[in-house]
Amino acid sequence: MPRPYLQNVSLTKIIKDKFFNFFTIAPDQCWNWQGDMYPQGYGRFALPAGSHIRAHRLSWIIHNGKIPDGLLVCHHCDNRRCVNPKHLFVGTAKDNYLDARSKGRHSHGENHGSAKLTNDEVRAVRALIKCNIPIRAIGRLLCVDAATIRRIRDGKGWIHIGALKVPE
């Protein structure tokens, strides 16, 4: 949820000076935030009147100006503590997801925290579908909803797992 009072941070000299005290500038390297941290690993900067902003977002505002509405400040370097403006870019949630996925940082398949199936079970699902076993029966067998099996069948889920080759 956007916080407009953080979007238009008044960049006084005091805020800028305080900000630059929390990291060391190193050319072409991450500028690791040394101040307060959010539990997710992002730097946390205290603003006047008790509000806070993520340090990398404040870095973007200081170096590039306002963050466009609806956009995130993302890290090319994948280091949540980094506030180096050369390592930051603005993008949508989808841009951030695609960036993570392209670098292999997006958990999917059996490594996803809410996965109900293993990679081998998905291969078995594909084999059972090829054998014309009803989708609901496969779902009951594996204790998952038929919609999950349909997503596998339709290529909308578990697409990173190749189909099991069924002997002819």
Side-chain angles (χ1 to χ4, degrees):
M1 180 153 118
R3 299 181 189 164
Y5 63 91
L6 296 181
Q7 186 64 273
N8 300 312
V9 173
S10 174
L11 296 177
T12 64
K13 181 173 178 3
I14 294 169
I15 289 177
K16 287 181 184 177
D17 288 348
K18 182 180 168 188
F19 174 79
F20 282 96
N21 284 328
F22 286 103
F23 57 90
T24 302
I25 295 176
D28 302 320
Q29 294 181 18
C30 289
W31 302 352
N32 288 321
W33 185 253
Q34 300 297 314
D36 192 20
M37 302 292 287
Y38 283 102
Q40 303 87 354
Y42 294 99
R44 175 177 151 142
F45 185 85
L47 294 169
S51 58
H52 295 86
I53 186 171
R54 289 185 177 191
H56 68 288
R57 291 179 64 82
L58 182 56
S59 180
W60 181 270
I61 293 167
I62 288 170
H63 295 94
N64 300 294
K66 184 178 185 245
I67 301 165
D69 290 340
L71 296 184
L72 307 173
V73 177
C74 310
H75 292 88
H76 285 298
C77 60
D78 301 328
N79 177 0
R80 293 177 178 187
R81 292 176 54 194
C82 182
V83 295
N84 183 339
K86 291 181 180 175
H87 294 192
L88 305 175
F89 67 99
V90 291
T92 63
K94 183 177 181 181
D95 295 333
N96 199 29
Y97 163 78
L98 292 172
D99 178 59
R101 187 172 161 190
S102 73
K103 296 172 184 172
R105 289 187 299 104
H106 178 71
S107 60
H108 59 279
E110 66 186 11
N111 296 324
H112 191 278
S114 62
K116 304 259 189 296
L117 300 172
T118 65
N119 294 344
D120 288 338
E121 287 171 330
V122 170
R123 288 183 189 97
V125 164
R126 291 199 172 121
L128 292 169
I129 289 169
K130 284 183 179 181
C131 294
N132 295 317
I133 306 297
I135 286 175
R136 287 184 188 208
I138 299 170
R140 280 193 301 274
L141 176 70
L142 295 169
C143 301
V144 296
D145 193 75
T148 300
I149 305 303
R150 261 191 235 84
R151 286 182 50 75
I152 293 168
R153 178 197 67 193
D154 297 342
K156 295 181 179 174
W158 295 83
I159 58 176
H160 64 287
I161 300 296
L164 183 67
K165 306 248 184 319
V166 180
E168 310 233 354

